[in-house]
Structures are given as C-alpha cells and as structure tokens.
Amino acid sequence: MKTFQLRKNYGICVILFFYLSFGYTQSPGGINTDLKLWLKANYGVEEDISDSAEDSDDVKRWLDNTVNANHAIQITNSKRPTYYQGGINFNPIVNFDGSNHELKSSIVANSVMTIFAITDGTNSSTKSLLHLDNGTNGSIEMKQLNSNTLEGRYTDSAGTSSGIVTNDITNVSSGIPYLVNYRYVESKKSRFFINGTLQSLPATNTNADTLSGTMDANIGSIPSDPTTRWEGDLAELIIYNYKISQAERQKIESYLAVKYGITLGANGSSLNYTDSDGTVIWDVDTGNTTNDAFNYNVTGIGRDDTSELEQKQSKTINTSDDLTIGIKTIETTNTQNTSEFFADKTFLMWGNDNGGTSPASPITKDFGSGASSISSVTPISQKWKIVIKDSVPTVKLSIPESMVSSTNTGGPIYVMVVSDDANFSTNVTSVTMNDVGTELETEFYFEDTKYITFGSTSQVSLNNGRSAYFNNTGSTDTYLDAGNVNNLDSLDFTISAW
C-alpha cells in the first residue's frame, strides 16, 4: 500500500507541474510578459458557470486566458451581453446593446499599461468600451465619441483628464470592425494605434499620477453613467502591464489581423505581417514594384500554435466584393470548418491591386506544341497575390459572381487564372469555376507565390459533344496537356478514361 501511495502522489505532482509549466504557454503573438488579461470570444464564453454559451445566449462569465483568472462576470441577468458565433471574419463576438449590457473584471494597476481590442461600434454618442478605475489614483478609459471618433484618456484622482489621444489619422466607420491599441505610460505621452497605424501624439507629456492597487475593469460601460454603455461587438480584449516594443506589437497585431480579416496600416500600402517567431508572412516591400502593388484588403488564413491561432477561412472585413478562402471548404463559422493545416507556422496570405472589375486585355495560354488551339481568357482588371509560408492544403476559393460578370458576354464559362508572375506570362494555368448561387467557387493547391485573377472563356465544343478525338496517325503528336495544376508529385491519385 505504501508503495502504491507514493507512486500515486508522484503522478499527481507530475500532472500538476505540467499544468503549471505548460498550461498557459500560449499568448497573443507569443508575447506573454506581464500579460494580465486575455479575453477572446472563441474560447471561454459561458452562459452559466462552466456552461459554454451557444449562439444568441446571454453571457454570465467570460474566462480570462491567462494565469491570473481575471474572469469578466455579470451576475445580473438583464445586464448580460449576448454571444454570437459568426461575428467577425467567421469568429464569434460578444455583443453589447448600448443600454443595459456590461461586464466586470479586475486587474492589477501599473505605471505602464498596453491595451489591444478587436471591436466595432455603432455609437452616435459617447460610449465606453473599457474603463479601468482603482477609485483612488485615477482611471484609464477607451471610448467612442461618435460614429467616427475614438479616444483614449487618463483621468487623475482630482477628476482632471490628460494624455488624450484620438484617431485623427485613421478613420473608423460605424459597424466596421477595427483593431485598437492604447498605451498608457506614467509621465509620458500616450500612444494610440488604429489597425497598426500610429495616431498623432498628445501635445505635452502628461499622465502624471501613478496608477496603483487593484483596478476594476469595466467592460462596456462606466458603472456610474449608464448612458455610456457600449453599443457594438467585442471579439478580443488584451491587457499588458508592460511597454510593448514595436517588434512585439507587430506580432500581436499580425495575430489579430489574420484572425479577424483586418488590413494593417493604410489600405493599399499596408504593413508587414509576422508570425509569433517574427518571420515575415506578408512582405509589403519585396524590392519589386510590380510585385508590391498588391497591398489592398490584405488578409489570410493560418496556424500559429504559440498564439493559439487556427484561422481556417477568411475574408477581408473591408468589403463584400472580394475573395473568401478556406482550407478545403468554407463553412458558416471558422469552428465548423473541421479541416486541418499541415503544421504549425503555416500561412496563406493574399492581397489585391485594386484593379477594379471591368474587363481587361485577354490572357492567352499555349497548352503545348501538340495542341491544336490557344486558349484565351477575358479577365477582370483586378489581380490578387497569393503567398504561401511553408505549405497549406488544397483550399476552396469563392468570389461573388457579380465581380466577374462583366467578362461574360453570354454563354462562356468562368475560370480562375493562375500564374507565377504578375503579368500572367509564366506557368499560366486555369481552373473552371462552379456557379453556386451568387458565388463562383473552385479549389486549388497553391505553392510559393502565385498571382490569380478571374474571368471567362468560351467553352470548346467537341466532335460529338461528349468526347475528344485523337487522330495520331501522322508525324505530329496530338494530345491535351493540363499542366502542373495541383502538384500531384508524391500524392496518391487515380486517372480514369473511357
């Protein structure tokens, strides 16, 4: 009995050590220094204690994904926000109604605090997203003043506000999700970033008081003023008691941008995206002007285990007229896509050149010396750049048919054209699109960097409408060459002929 008891206790110690050592190794962008609060709607949203919320459920508790267990709670039924599964880029959100909803957490105060949030607001008057208050030395607040203006401010113990920063460079629009980063530093100028772009600094060094003690983290309201309750969605909230460096901020913002379909920087110039190791997964400046023209509506799919990121399908939040790409399939929510990436740190990123949807000059492809004709595709003017990091499975692509219909003169079939270069002159191939309701869909296996566009081409009529005839009796070969479409090397496949 004694021997058995010793072994049993030893096993418990091993399990406990593993939990304490490895249970919270994941963090936004891999940055876990002084991470005090991490709320994300795709994990830990509960309608009751230990009872996960389902679509349209009220939220009683939102679990903190750090070791601090600073869970956000609302015990009053009428004040509970609502959970929705398919909120921002196929990911869930917690919705606040602007009248009743609020959550409360707590956090240890510090002289330096860095806050990230993925949110949207439909506010026409002042509404509070986050209010940190210790009741003694002041408070920090992030709020939306109207449908286009955000603000971060520090208020001292006497009620005097200072260090006020606003989004005077990057506009936000009512109901459109954005990534906001606010940094408070005692006796220094605050910093305010919208979608990765730094906004103007305050005129003077302020924030004189030091925040201390434990602060109430009021999410979606200032408790003393019910008129300021947030109206909109919150998908993720991250708070550090730490001055995030530029390289660290890039990792955190890249994680959030990929997950929520957000283009970092100004749309058209964008910013680099990196994984949690700091490896660039979208490079805005490769040194080739032609190849660097694709920085509109940048987004992606990918897996990064350190960030607990597994975004299997994405579409830019900037417009409905753009690509949706998913691993093998596209489902209603990211969770419903059960396909898997090959490995950690694998990404497929894309952006377009904002070329528009009017017809462009035909793209021609010679299918080989034995082919009797050359195929011609009338594409739209807009092109996309696809960048693969490591390797990803076959993906499904979907695009609104209305974006491509200008190329269809009645009867032709829709195709996706793929090339190794932006001029569509090297290793050009095409794939037929399937007409599915209002969308055009196809599947493709991408490697390295490719360029794609969409258009239409005439359908070839065969001799009897049902077969191709090969009359290989002369000196000239007669054959069809499909090209290296889906990289069948090292894969099992079947060829059938009748």
Side-chain angles (χ1 to χ4, degrees):
M1 289 295 296
K2 292 182 179 180
T3 302
F4 173 78
Q5 187 66 41
L6 285 171
R7 288 178 179 176
K8 183 178 180 181
N9 289 341
Y10 176 76
I12 292 174
C13 291
V14 169
I15 294 171
L16 180 61
F17 173 78
F18 180 85
Y19 176 79
L20 293 176
S21 300
F22 303 103
Y24 286 93
T25 58
Q26 294 167 317
S27 54
I31 309 303
N32 56 18
T33 303
D34 281 329
L35 176 60
K36 298 303 181 183
L37 180 68
W38 186 14
L39 304 178
K40 51 182 179 176
N42 64 309
Y43 178 80
V45 180
E46 299 177 340
E47 66 167 329
D48 207 343
I49 304 303
S50 301
D51 184 4
S52 296
E54 298 178 355
D55 193 54
S56 301
D57 281 344
D58 291 343
V59 178
K60 181 176 183 178
R61 186 169 72 163
W62 193 351
L63 299 181
D64 178 18
N65 286 270
T66 76
V67 296
N68 306 298
N70 292 322
H71 309 316
I73 298 176
Q74 180 51 257
I75 61 174
T76 303
N77 290 345
S78 62
K79 293 184 178 181
R80 293 175 182 171
T82 308
Y83 169 81
Y84 293 106
Q85 292 180 340
I88 302 176
N89 195 33
F90 305 104
N91 288 299
I93 49 90
V94 174
N95 176 263
F96 296 77
D97 68 356
S99 300
N100 303 300
H101 297 163
E102 58 185 352
L103 293 169
K104 178 174 285 188
S105 179
S106 63
I107 188 171
V108 175
N110 196 46
S111 59
V112 179
M113 304 188 78
T114 305
I115 304 165
F116 295 87
I118 295 289
T119 185
D120 62 54
T122 57
N123 308 305
S124 58
S125 59
T126 300
K127 300 288 185 176
S128 179
L129 175 64
L130 178 68
H131 186 258
L132 305 177
D133 185 9
N134 68 357
T136 303
N137 291 357
S139 63
I140 292 175
E141 186 179 7
M142 294 170 60
K143 58 186 177 181
Q144 189 165 340
L145 302 181
N146 53 55
S147 59
N148 303 115
T149 306
L150 306 174
E151 180 183 272
R153 68 166 61 204
Y154 165 77
T155 302
D156 65 19
S157 54
T160 302
S161 295
S162 58
I164 299 173
V165 286
T166 63
N167 61 315
D168 60 333
I169 295 176
T170 305
N171 189 42
V172 298
S173 299
S174 180
I176 303 299
Y178 55 85
L179 190 172
V180 57
N181 168 212
Y182 172 54
R183 188 177 77 196
Y184 160 86
V185 182
E186 176 200 359
S187 300
K188 300 291 184 182
K189 295 181 179 181
S190 296
R191 298 289 190 275
F192 210 45
F193 297 83
I194 304 296
N195 295 340
T197 298
L198 176 64
Q199 310 301 292
S200 296
L201 302 182
T204 59
N205 289 336
T206 50
N207 306 329
D209 286 3
T210 301
L211 297 172
S212 61
T214 300
M215 306 179 75
D216 288 336
N218 301 294
I219 302 168
S221 76
I222 301 175
S224 61
D225 187 358
T227 65
T228 64
R229 288 188 174 129
W230 188 253
E231 184 176 357
D233 304 324
L234 179 62
E236 200 142 341
L237 179 64
I238 304 163
I239 303 179
Y240 291 89
N241 279 0
Y242 172 67
K243 184 179 179 180
I244 299 294
S245 70
Q246 180 175 341
E248 291 169 330
R249 180 170 55 81
Q250 189 176 43
K251 293 178 182 180
I252 296 168
E253 290 178 337
S254 295
Y255 150 71
L256 292 170
V258 170
K259 186 173 182 178
Y260 295 105
I262 290 173
T263 300
L264 292 178
N267 198 22
S269 55
S270 192
L271 299 171
N272 283 352
Y273 291 63
T274 67
D275 65 16
S276 60
D277 287 341
T279 301
V280 175
I281 59 175
W282 180 266
D283 190 349
V284 299
D285 185 9
T286 64
N288 185 313
T289 304
T290 300
N291 296 343
D292 292 338
F294 296 85
N295 290 312
Y296 290 88
N297 299 341
V298 176
T299 190
I301 55 177
R303 172 182 159 188
D304 191 327
D305 293 349
T306 305
S307 295
E308 203 172 18
L309 173 68
E310 192 167 16
Q311 189 62 30
K312 300 177 181 180
Q313 52 190 55
S314 279
K315 182 175 185 175
T316 177
I317 54 101
N318 294 339
T319 176
S320 59
D321 284 340
D322 212 313
L323 280 177
T324 304
I325 298 181
I327 294 293
K328 296 184 180 179
T329 183
I330 298 171
E331 302 295 337
T332 304
T333 68
N334 188 64
T335 303
Q336 290 173 339
N337 188 333
T338 58
S339 305
E340 299 291 340
F341 288 94
F342 290 144
D344 183 24
K345 303 293 189 302
T346 55
F347 292 86
L348 184 154
M349 302 291 297
W350 67 92
N352 69 64
D353 64 356
N354 199 36
T357 59
S358 59
S361 300
I363 297 173
T364 60
K365 172 178 169 50
D366 188 343
F367 284 94
S369 59
S372 60
S373 65
I374 294 177
S375 175
S376 176
V377 173
T378 300
I380 60 173
S381 298
Q382 188 157 297
K383 305 177 182 70
W384 286 259
K385 179 180 179 181
I386 307 286
V387 177
I388 305 295
K389 289 300 179 183
D390 197 1
S391 179
V392 298
T394 296
V395 296
K396 174 175 278 190
L397 303 94
S398 178
I399 187 172
E401 183 176 355
S402 59
M403 289 188 66
V404 194
S405 59
S406 65
T407 67
N408 193 320
T409 57
I413 58 174
Y414 290 114
V415 295
M416 177 178 74
V417 186
V418 185
S419 178
D420 284 354
D421 68 287
N423 295 320
F424 288 81
S425 60
T426 307
N427 290 333
V428 181
T429 191
S430 61
V431 183
T432 301
M433 305 289 292
N434 298 314
D435 196 335
V436 183
T438 60
E439 300 288 309
L440 300 174
E441 297 180 352
T442 193
E443 296 180 1
F444 201 81
Y445 178 79
F446 289 100
E447 291 183 294
D448 303 319
T449 297
K450 300 293 183 184
Y451 299 85
I452 65 173
T453 189
F454 300 87
S456 61
T457 185
S458 298
Q459 188 166 0
V460 177
S461 297
L462 302 176
N463 291 337
N464 58 9
R466 301 181 62 186
S467 65
Y469 177 68
F470 296 87
N471 183 22
N472 193 19
T473 58
S475 59
T476 301
D477 290 336
T478 303
Y479 62 90
L480 294 175
D481 183 355
N484 183 16
V485 177
N486 279 323
N487 190 28
L488 298 178
D489 186 30
S490 301
L491 298 175
D492 294 332
F493 60 91
T494 301
I495 296 175
S496 299
W498 294 268

